[in-house]
Amino acid sequence: DTTQRNRDDLRDRVARFSTLLRQNGLSDDITQVRGIESPPKVAGEVLRVDPKGDRIEFTNGSDEGLVVGHEMYVYRTKPRPEFIGKVKIIEVDPDQSVGRVIGRTVNGKQIREGDIVASTINP
């Protein structure tokens, strides 16, 4: 009887945690949960920006170690170097990812195709 109650309690907890993860844009797939705190050192390029400007597709993906939940920096180098903002990865494919803009961009700047997306800001 105790084993049955413990099993039912555990199933209920797992279901609630899975729901909470998905509600916060994270995967409940345990294979996607490794290394969320520190993405590998990668840099890529913005491929597309949605019409609202709050989601982007970029050229780095799971083949480079990125997972849902990693946060990346967006910046551009031309005509002069400038930080634009941050995105949180919400979808990952082997060779590209989708990120949602976190908060607001600096001074309301729009992210553009060709901007750099990286796990670190290089000088």
Side-chain angles (χ1 to χ4, degrees):
D1 192 41
T2 302
T3 302
Q4 179 75 27
R5 279 195 310 270
N6 287 343
R7 186 190 72 190
D8 292 344
D9 179 58
L10 183 57
R11 283 184 177 168
D12 181 57
R13 287 175 186 230
V14 167
R16 285 186 280 147
F17 285 128
S18 292
T19 299
L20 184 62
L21 286 167
R22 288 191 304 271
Q23 287 173 343
N24 286 286
L26 298 171
S27 173
D28 62 348
D29 177 359
I30 194 67
T31 64
Q32 295 287 315
V33 182
R34 61 182 169 80
I36 289 178
E37 293 81 22
S38 53
K41 188 172 181 178
V42 297
E45 186 175 311
V46 174
L47 296 170
R48 281 181 276 299
V49 181
D50 81 336
K52 292 189 219 173
D54 62 349
R55 291 182 188 217
I56 64 169
E57 289 180 35
F58 59 97
T59 60
N60 304 98
S62 60
D63 284 351
E64 295 172 278
L66 296 180
V67 297
V68 170
H70 276 150
E71 293 183 4
M72 307 288 284
Y73 299 102
V74 180
Y75 60 95
R76 67 180 58 115
T77 57
K78 295 178 184 176
R80 61 182 173 76
E82 60 184 327
F83 175 74
I84 307 299
K86 287 175 69 176
V87 296
K88 183 175 190 173
I89 296 176
I90 58 172
E91 292 178 34
V92 180
D93 288 329
D95 61 350
Q96 67 181 21
S97 297
V98 175
R100 178 182 301 128
V101 176
I102 299 172
R104 298 181 183 181
T105 58
V106 174
N107 296 325
K109 293 182 187 265
Q110 296 296 312
I111 297 174
R112 299 184 228 156
E113 292 177 9
D115 283 345
I116 297 168
V117 181
S119 56
T120 61
I121 298 179
N122 297 323

